[in-house]
Amino acid sequence: MLETFETERLILRERTIEDLEDCLEMDCEEEVVKYIPEVRELLNSQNKHIAFVKERIETKYPNGLGYWTIESKVNNGEFIGWILLIPIDNVGPEIEIGWRLKRDYWGAGYATEAARAILTYAFDTVDLENVVADIHPSNRGSIRVAEKLVFTVEDSVNENSDDYVRYSIFRG
């Protein structure tokens, strides 16, 4: 069971199967998945999309890692999106942070607020030395979030894909 966190405007709680419909609906927002080709491909088959999201929800991640649903404290617990802290590509050894928010919540600092809480947890509770984020070079919104959190660009592009740039942050 993952810890629940509260920030000024958000509640971050463990993502559960009850979040499935909200996650599927969010993924159908074209702009939300614009830089995530593996998800865009899944949208061609509702069954494959459901299976993919369900598998991610039901996966048992190492202790202290997983997905959190992001809810609004202001809008009566409305689903905003999710944030993850998991082994990269579900294998590791690096631990990645990632976020996906409904389009209506972009540009208001919610991703930064959620990521700041999860990074504090990653370094202070899970005792990680560093966390990475793979971001598409055209995804200006996610790049801005990484920059606000003081991630730095690594010299090389992620070995697994020519489409993402690896950002890193170290415990400091």
Side-chain angles (χ1 to χ4, degrees), residues 86-103:
I86 63 172
I88 197 144
D89 297 325
N90 282 340
V91 180
E94 299 95 345
I95 303 299
E96 73 171 316
I97 190 170
W99 46 84
R100 190 171 308 157
L101 276 65
K102 290 168 53 176
R103 176 68 184 98

Side-chain angles (χ1 to χ4, degrees), residues 3 11-12 18 37 39 75 92 110 133 135 153:
E3 287 186 45
I11 297 170
L12 310 176
E18 284 78 30
V39 173
N75 292 336
Y110 292 112
I135 302 173
V153 177

